[in-house]
Amino acid sequence: MDKLNLRRRLLAARTALPPEQLRANATKVRETLLEQPWVQMAGLVACYWSAGSEPETHGLVFALWKHGATVILPVLKEDNDLDWAVYDGPDTLAPGRFGIMEPVDTRRGVDAVRTAALVIVPALAVDRRTGVRLGRGGGSYDRALARVGPNVPTVALLHDGELIDDVPAEPHDHRVRFAMTPRGLTSLM
């Protein structure tokens, strides 16, 4: 299946998820991630502020912040690259491009993600054999992942059924090291 049709199918399945399932999924993902020693020890975490039917990160971001991590969230630039700014609590967010909530803190630049000890990214699907992630098609997170060191844990958050056997890959696609679903954490490398 090509990327466009796969995206459509996955987005339709996400849209059909009831709100109570989305909340339950978010709780399971947050609790499982926070149990990982490498998550607990991460001083600087790059994450995202979820929207719509994406795996919800609001509670995860808040928990990481409350446990003492510095959390940076993306700020979508005009060229679709990602700048980064520090999250300093729920009152420090404002709508950005496309209405996505972004930190109002000073922008740290596209290379800020290089210093993260943990990078959590959105995905519509991840190939269980290769770690290739399928995003929304803008290339924003592929550019960000290209800046991340090879030993930094990169985690894609997914709903059940989105860790699949065949995600079409192109040369610019970057792999993630872990996929996190409500069923658990899967190492991909």
Side-chain angles (χ1 to χ4, degrees):
M1 181 177 293
D2 65 70
K3 284 186 175 185
L4 184 60
N5 286 322
L6 183 56
R7 276 189 194 100
R8 284 184 184 142
R9 183 174 63 83
L10 291 164
L11 285 168
R14 280 187 173 184
T15 302
L17 291 171
E20 60 274 5
Q21 184 66 52
L22 293 173
R23 283 191 298 277
N25 289 353
T27 299
K28 289 177 188 172
V29 166
R30 180 179 67 245
E31 289 174 358
T32 302
L33 269 179
L34 291 174
E35 291 171 355
Q36 307 307 311
W38 45 271
V39 173
Q40 295 171 10
M41 294 185 306
L44 179 65
V45 179
C47 196
Y48 67 99
W49 194 260
S50 58
S53 60
E54 288 181 323
E56 194 263 314
T57 62
H58 306 176
L60 175 62
V61 167
F62 186 77
L64 288 164
W65 176 67
K66 287 302 276 184
H67 285 100
T70 299
V71 180
I72 56 174
L73 298 176
V75 177
L76 188 61
K77 295 175 52 163
E78 290 296 323
D79 65 357
N80 284 339
D81 206 345
L82 298 177
D83 200 338
W84 298 88
V86 173
Y87 170 86
D88 198 21
D91 297 335
T92 63
L93 299 172
R97 281 182 65 205
F98 308 115
I100 297 169
M101 299 301 281
E102 300 174 343
V104 296
D105 190 45
T106 303
R107 305 299 185 246
R108 304 295 170 107
V110 297
D111 287 328
V113 72
R114 288 185 195 277
T115 61
L118 169 63
V119 178
I120 300 169
V121 297
L124 291 172
V126 171
D127 190 306
R128 76 176 78 247
R129 296 169 295 142
T130 65
V132 169
R133 62 175 282 284
L134 178 68
R136 299 245 180 179
S140 301
Y141 282 94
D142 283 315
R143 285 186 254 181
L145 287 168
R147 297 178 179 109
V148 175
N151 297 320
V152 174
T154 52
V155 183
L157 302 186
L158 303 168
H159 293 296
D160 287 330
E162 295 176 346
L163 184 58
I164 61 177
D165 287 333
D166 189 28
V167 171
E170 296 177 42
H172 66 269
D173 291 328
H174 284 268
R175 291 162 168 70
V176 291
R177 296 180 69 189
F178 298 93
M180 181 73 233
T181 70
R183 293 179 193 225
L185 185 67
T186 301
S187 176
L188 303 168
M189 299 186 141

